[in-house]
Amino acid sequence: TAHHHNMTLTAGCVVYKSFVILALSICMFVAVFFLVKYMQSRRLSAKKDKGWMHCITVAFSITVIVYWISNIVINIADIQCTAQQTSFRSIAYAIASAVYAVQVIEIIGLLYYRLYHIFNNTAFALSSRAVRVHGILYVAFIVLALIGASIWFLARNNAIATILVLIIFPLAFIIFITLYILLIWRFIFVIKSVAAECHDANANNTRLLSTATKAFVLTMASVISTLVFGIVNTVLSYVGYPDYGLADWLFTIVLYNDVFTNLLSVYLNFSLFDAQYQAMCSVCDQRCRPNISTQMQEMAQSNTS
């Protein structure tokens, strides 16, 4: 009976890992598709700007592709279970862990740069003080995360190092949450301000409101996916990670969903992928976007009454 149970469990693990490999392959194909389409549009475009947005977008895409590849290697190694594959798995796991941290740093930088870029040269542009505050928090988050990770990997068995990690990581997480709260608050403030201060539904007002709403929807998707993963990871770190059980399925789904959602959040913001954005986010976009024309009618009725 025990032997039959082990065989059944092994077969179940193989099916589970095979499914994960298929899902990862699809995610990698989507990442490559977005990157190739984006690079082709840049090459054909009359604008040859190679600014920060372009550089970070390409770097983020490469980071995500490396992340998918390393996780595919991990799951293949889990299926084969040979000594050589175990060695490859350890290397791939280290790469995947480091790359995930890098993509978190990159996505926060991208979201903030997008916020700055969208409202630059408008009445709702970020003040120099706000840019400094966000920049200081962003740098502090990176420094604390790097210090905490270094201590954890190099001296995890040391009691003092463990105490330092328990202090540093919560501080980094608090700064991380603060950055996201400030980001969301800024988008909400701008969307409400644009809708309230627009005296007519002209093309410029409508375009600014549309751009702000689109960026807000994509930013919220990225923020929610990251926070869900953070909550699930925190809970499982206390209760343990059962192998190939429901908890393992949940962890895998929220982890890969976070990276995939971040990828969509970056690329769907470009006008090149408007069709994909409308197909996936049109309902949320319409619900989050104030109607300038309706507000104009309400203002006119209130003024005449």
Side-chain angles (χ1 to χ4, degrees), residues 8-21 78-79 244:
T8 304
L9 179 62
T10 301
C13 293
V14 171
V15 172
Y16 164 66
K17 290 295 181 179
S18 300
F19 174 80
V20 171
I21 292 171
D78 285 342
I79 292 176
Y244 315 121

Side-chain angles (χ1 to χ4, degrees):
T1 305
H3 177 71
H4 176 72
H5 175 74
N6 289 335
M7 290 297 292
T8 304
L9 179 62
T10 301
C13 293
V14 171
V15 172
Y16 164 66
K17 290 295 181 179
S18 300
F19 174 80
V20 171
I21 292 171
L22 175 62
L24 289 170
S25 301
I26 294 173
C27 290
M28 187 176 67
F29 171 78
V30 173
V32 172
F33 167 78
F34 277 127
L35 179 59
V36 170
K37 290 279 289 185
Y38 174 73
M39 294 301 293
Q40 287 177 343
S41 69
R42 297 285 301 184
R43 189 171 64 251
L44 298 175
S45 174
K47 297 179 181 180
K48 299 300 181 182
D49 175 37
K50 301 297 182 183
W52 281 107
M53 193 68 181
H54 171 73
C55 296
I56 301 176
T57 299
V58 174
F60 177 79
S61 303
I62 295 173
T63 301
V64 170
I65 292 171
V66 172
Y67 180 78
W68 296 136
I69 293 173
S70 58
N71 276 277
I72 289 173
V73 172
I74 291 172
N75 285 275
I76 291 175
D78 285 342
I79 292 176
Q80 296 186 356
C81 294
T82 64
Q84 184 179 15
Q85 291 297 329
T86 301
S87 177
F88 281 137
R89 187 192 189 284
S90 300
I91 297 173
Y93 183 80
I95 293 174
S97 301
V99 168
Y100 179 81
V102 170
Q103 70 89 28
V104 170
I105 293 173
E106 289 176 336
I107 191 63
I108 294 176
L110 262 170
L111 295 178
Y112 265 98
Y113 188 78
R114 182 163 68 192
L115 173 67
Y116 171 81
H117 182 73
I118 289 174
F119 303 116
N120 194 29
N121 298 323
T122 70
F124 308 99
L126 289 173
S127 65
S128 57
R129 179 181 179 182
V131 172
R132 284 196 299 270
V133 170
H134 295 160
I136 291 172
L137 288 174
Y138 183 57
V139 172
F141 167 72
I142 294 174
V143 171
L144 287 174
L146 290 176
I147 292 175
S150 299
I151 294 175
W152 176 251
F153 282 109
L154 297 177
R156 68 175 66 185
N157 295 323
N158 185 283
I160 297 177
T162 302
I163 294 173
L164 288 175
V165 168
L166 291 175
I167 295 173
I168 292 173
F169 275 149
L171 286 176
F173 184 72
I174 290 172
I175 295 176
F176 173 76
I177 296 298
T178 303
L179 283 168
Y180 270 150
I181 291 174
L182 291 175
L183 187 66
I184 295 171
W185 174 85
R186 186 67 187 182
F187 271 115
I188 294 175
F189 171 77
V190 170
I191 290 173
K192 288 186 175 181
S193 298
V194 172
E197 297 182 15
C198 287
H199 300 294
D200 57 79
N202 59 41
N204 290 334
N205 293 336
T206 303
R207 188 185 307 111
L208 180 60
L209 187 60
S210 176
T211 303
T213 305
K214 182 179 183 180
F216 171 73
V217 170
L218 295 174
T219 299
M220 280 299 299
S222 182
V223 169
I224 291 173
S225 69
T226 301
L227 290 180
V228 168
F229 169 68
I231 293 171
V232 171
N233 187 43
T234 301
V235 172
L236 292 181
S237 65
Y238 284 99
V239 302
Y241 297 87
D243 289 336
Y244 315 121
L246 179 61
D248 192 52
W249 273 89
L250 178 62
F251 178 81
T252 301
I253 291 172
V254 296
L255 172 60
Y256 294 156
N257 175 72
D258 180 35
V259 179
F260 189 73
T261 303
N262 288 341
L263 179 74
L264 294 179
S265 176
V266 170
Y267 276 106
L268 294 185
N269 187 65
F270 295 110
S271 58
L272 174 67
F273 302 106
D274 271 343
Q276 288 84 351
Y277 173 78
Q278 290 300 326
M280 287 185 273
C281 309
S282 58
V283 175
C284 293
D285 186 276
Q286 291 300 321
R287 289 183 177 275
C288 294
R289 181 184 307 184
N291 192 312
I292 298 178
S293 300
T294 302
Q295 292 190 5
M296 287 294 301
Q297 294 174 4
E298 293 175 352
M299 290 173 60
Q301 291 176 0
S302 62
N303 290 334
T304 55
S305 60

